Amino acid sequence: HGLLSDAELFAKLQDAKRANPDVIGYISIPGTDLHEPVVQTTDNVTYLTHAADGEDDARGAIFADYRSPAYVGDSSRMTLLHGHNMRDGSMFGVLASYGDPDFWAAHPYVQYVDAAGNGGTWLVYSARLADGADDVFTFPVKRPYYDRIARFSQRSILDPGFTPDPDGRTLTLST
């Protein structure tokens, strides 16, 4: 899979939403096997053991944090997505590969669209290990946006050679 148009991502989202109204987005990392619907519900537990279609599945689904806005155009400027780190590289198992600069060079983009048609293509600027006390998991966001992205860049194991636009939005993938 190469880069998809926003319309292609949105069509995939709509197909998945017909199977489950909890579908709020669609994520793709071009050149990898990560092309999945994104779900959201009132907790961060349900989709640990259910697929995006709502069926029981130990692999779970990729899901937006219940405290995260459902739409990337919302005022928080940060969307937090969770997914299992599968040993076979599926789901968010691919994220560990961002510690390798060659992997980042070959897969620098993450694409995401939400159910309102917002989204697009993000350039990966940070990859790091975070624990549960990390401020990436803090809601509501208390630190100014520019400070957050600067901290994420400083703690990163990769150096893409740029810092994101302080007026932009962040899509955070957590496993």
Side-chain angles (χ1 to χ4, degrees), residues 36-84:
E36 295 284 336
V38 175
V39 292
Q40 186 177 41
T41 191
T42 57
D43 61 64
N44 286 342
V45 177
T46 301
Y47 285 104
L48 290 173
T49 58
H50 291 80
D53 62 7
E55 297 294 321
D56 287 346
D57 188 336
R59 292 172 4 108
I62 295 174
F63 61 95
D65 192 287
Y66 77 96
R67 301 163 296 178
S68 191
Y71 303 106
V72 295
D74 285 350
S75 62
S76 80
R77 300 175 63 193
M78 184 184 111
T79 301
L80 175 59
L81 305 181
H82 301 284
H84 284 311

Side-chain angles (χ1 to χ4, degrees), residues 7-24:
E8 289 172 302
L9 287 170
F10 193 71
K12 290 179 179 295
L13 178 153
Q14 292 298 98
D15 287 344
K17 192 164 186 67
R18 281 190 271 287
N20 182 355
D22 286 348
V23 172
I24 63 156

Side-chain angles (χ1 to χ4, degrees), residues 122-145:
W122 276 264
L123 187 58
V124 175
Y125 77 95
S126 177
R128 63 197 179 85
L129 297 176
D131 62 31
D134 194 286
D135 64 354
V136 73
F137 303 113
T138 302
F139 286 89
V141 175
K142 295 179 181 174
R143 185 179 304 278
Y145 180 76

